Amino acid sequence: MIKKLKFKLIAICLLSVGIVLTIIVSTSYFAAMINITKTTDELITFIHNNGDVVISNNENVDPSQYDTIKETRYFIVKSFDIPKADEIEVSNTSITSKRAILFTNRVLNQKLFNKGYVDGFRYHRYDIMQNDVKIGDVIIFVDSNRQIFNMRFMLISATIISLLSLLTIFSLLRLFANKILKPIIDAHEKQKKFITNASHELKTPLTVITANSELLEMEYGENEYTQTINKQVAKLTTMTNTLVTLSKLDEMNSVEDMYEFNLSDAAYDSINIYTKVINKNFEYVIEDDLVYYGNEKLIRNLFTILLDNARKYSKSFVRLNIKKSKGKIHIICENDADNLTKGNLNHFIERFYRADESRVNISDGSGIGLSLANDIVHMHHGNMKIYSQDGLICTINITL
């Protein structure tokens, strides 16, 4: 249990930090990309609006803007429809005319967007108008490769730093996990010792009470008082044994004494016992010769818990169905009961849970049977679900 708790603590901490770092890195990346795009778009707009003025270094142009343009690699393409003629100005970049034409064709073939990126070049496409008639396109390309490279380098660096941070956090959590969980570990150890000691201390008085009850029955005969005493002693004995079993399962990292056994025979043995006890309509369908690899004692205990739980709370019927499908064993136990609601009823698995919060219940249940069943199923890497489709019938569905 403690190992599982340590694993969950480390996993949740790493996941939380990982999500935060991912958000920070992603946000920084997209913010940088937006900033590059915005700055480049403003530059392209300035080039388009000023045209040859920029190239000629006219005195009307803002000097700071001119310096920016002068350091910028860009080229302009004018493509005319009629007559067919193209003008390419590539003097402000190292790109060849052949590659400029290739970029232009890719942009012209993309009819849906007038802005975008082509191999790291940001482009804007504008219409060339004459007498309110479009006669061609002018496309301005600005080289953004350097900015994009810097941004990607920053992204890779941030990712590496984040991974190293996660590795460091993982190492620190493994180092200090025991100290973080020390109060829980101490409480768990005290609880385990209490359960073990209490179970041993209860055995002696229970044995004495049982012996005295038998003596009373021998001397005065069986009556309602001795019956009540015997019933409560049996209940306390069962609860004590179950608590000890739960405590042992909590400490087990894996199921021991596992081997192949006939699960159908194990189920029939429990059914034969409860056929005499369940005084309601009891139906069962068990597929023959089901072979399962697991702890036979725990699986037999699982069947006992399911049938005993159905016996205690059923109103008129109990149904048990065990079959194999797609390589899995499916165990379905159904019974009608009071105090049900539609939907998920997995809260019944909680230890000492009672539908009647006042704990006044006519059944002799202790509230830990289904919790033990769930632990047995999980120890065999299975799944247990409790639900009601109509609020009248409780269904326990187990997959092993």
Side-chain angles (χ1 to χ4, degrees):
M1 177 182 177
I2 299 301
K3 288 185 177 180
K4 290 181 179 179
L5 194 59
K6 286 171 62 176
F7 174 79
K8 288 182 179 179
L9 172 66
I10 294 173
I12 291 173
C13 290
L14 289 179
L15 180 62
S16 301
V17 175
I19 291 173
V20 172
L21 290 175
T22 300
I23 293 174
I24 293 174
V25 172
S26 301
T27 303
S28 301
Y29 174 82
F30 287 114
M33 193 67 192
I34 291 171
N35 183 60
I36 291 172
T37 301
K38 181 182 177 182
T39 303
T40 308
D41 285 348
E42 291 175 353
L43 194 58
I44 293 174
T45 302
F46 182 81
I47 294 172
H48 176 258
N49 291 339
N50 291 276
D52 294 337
V53 174
V54 175
I55 300 174
S56 62
N57 192 14
N58 190 285
E59 60 182 6
N60 294 323
V61 179
D62 183 1
S64 61
Q65 283 282 21
Y66 174 76
D67 291 339
T68 303
I69 296 298
K70 192 174 182 180
E71 295 174 0
T72 302
R73 288 183 168 186
Y74 70 94
F75 65 94
I76 303 173
V77 177
K78 293 181 181 179
S79 177
F80 297 94
D81 298 331
I82 301 174
K84 183 64 178 176
D86 293 334
E87 295 179 7
I88 303 176
E89 172 59 55
V90 295
S91 59
N92 293 292
T93 182
S94 60
I95 194 169
T96 63
S97 298
K98 183 177 180 181
R99 196 176 178 200
I101 293 173
L102 180 64
F103 284 4
T104 302
N105 290 332
R106 288 172 62 179
V107 172
L108 292 176
N109 290 332
Q110 176 60 266
K111 297 180 180 180
L112 294 178
F113 303 102
N114 291 323
K115 299 178 181 180
Y117 282 95
V118 177
D119 289 353
F121 280 77
R122 180 69 175 174
Y123 71 85
H124 282 203
R125 185 174 66 183
Y126 301 95
D127 295 336
I128 300 177
M129 307 297 293
Q130 187 177 63
N131 298 326
D132 295 331
V133 177
K134 178 181 176 181
I135 61 173
D137 298 277
V138 58
I139 308 172
I140 302 175
F141 295 87
V142 172
D143 190 353
S144 301
N145 280 290
R146 184 175 61 183
Q147 294 91 327
I148 293 175
F149 174 80
N150 292 335
M151 178 199 54
R152 289 177 178 171
F153 179 79
M154 179 201 72
L155 176 65
I156 294 172
S157 301
T159 302
I160 293 174
I161 293 172
S162 298
L163 292 176
L164 291 175
S165 300
L166 286 175
L167 183 61
T168 304
I169 293 171
F170 172 73
S171 302
L172 291 173
L173 284 173
R174 287 200 62 182
L175 185 63
F176 296 110
N178 286 333
K179 291 185 178 180
I180 296 173
L181 296 174
K182 190 176 185 304
I184 298 176
I185 294 173
D186 291 343
H188 179 72
E189 289 297 325
K190 290 178 181 178
Q191 173 186 296
K192 186 175 67 173
K193 289 180 180 179
F194 171 78
I195 292 175
T196 303
N197 294 335
S199 63
H200 287 296
E201 292 296 328
L202 285 171
K203 285 181 180 179
T204 301
L206 288 174
T207 303
V208 173
I209 294 171
T210 302
N212 288 331
S213 177
E214 291 175 353
L215 289 173
L216 288 173
E217 288 180 345
M218 291 173 60
E219 186 170 351
Y220 299 103
E222 184 179 356
N223 54 59
E224 60 178 314
Y225 303 110
T226 58
Q227 288 178 351
T228 301
I229 292 172
N230 292 334
K231 183 178 179 180
Q232 295 303 318
V233 168
K235 181 178 178 180
L236 279 173
T237 302
T238 301
M239 183 185 297
T240 301
N241 294 333
T242 304
L243 284 172
V244 173
T245 303
L246 278 173
S247 180
K248 289 180 179 179
L249 285 179
D250 284 341
E251 296 305 312
M252 290 175 64
N253 294 322
S254 60
V255 181
E256 301 173 350
D257 299 327
M258 295 181 68
Y259 51 85
E260 287 190 350
F261 64 94
N262 193 311
L263 186 140
S264 300
D265 290 345
Y268 277 121
D269 289 343
S270 297
I271 288 170
N272 290 335
I273 295 173
Y274 278 90
T275 299
K276 305 172 184 177
V277 178
I278 298 177
N279 55 357
K280 292 138 187 168
N281 184 19
F282 183 21
E283 301 175 2
Y284 53 89
V285 177
I286 313 296
E287 188 175 321
D288 293 331
D289 298 323
L290 291 176
V291 177
Y292 183 69
Y293 181 82
N295 186 299
E296 183 177 1
K297 182 179 178 181
L298 290 178
I299 297 300
R300 286 177 177 272
N301 198 4
L302 174 64
F303 290 135
T304 300
I305 293 170
L306 292 178
L307 293 176
D308 191 54
N309 181 78
R311 175 191 67 82
K312 292 172 184 174
Y313 298 102
S314 65
K315 294 169 59 179
S316 61
F317 73 88
V318 176
R319 287 196 293 259
L320 180 66
N321 187 355
I322 304 176
K323 60 183 179 180
K324 188 172 185 178
S325 176
K326 298 180 179 180
K328 298 286 187 178
I329 302 293
H330 297 275
I331 304 170
I332 302 173
C333 186
E334 297 179 312
N335 63 273
D336 54 349
D338 294 321
N339 301 317
L340 293 180
T341 57
K342 290 184 181 180
N344 192 322
L345 299 176
N346 277 347
H347 51 271
F348 286 175
I349 296 174
E350 296 175 10
R351 295 181 185 181
F352 303 106
Y353 174 83
R354 291 296 187 91
D356 182 4
E357 295 297 336
S358 66
R359 304 275 169 176
V360 179
N361 198 304
I362 60 173
S363 75
D364 56 350
S366 60
I368 54 179
L370 291 180
S371 178
L372 177 58
N374 185 59
D375 286 348
I376 293 173
V377 171
H378 281 180
M379 292 293 286
H380 286 82
H381 306 289
N383 184 39
M384 176 174 170
K385 295 180 180 178
I386 306 178
Y387 58 88
S388 177
Q389 295 180 341
D390 53 11
L392 301 174
I393 299 175
C394 177
T395 301
I396 300 177
N397 194 330
I398 296 173
T399 303
L400 294 173

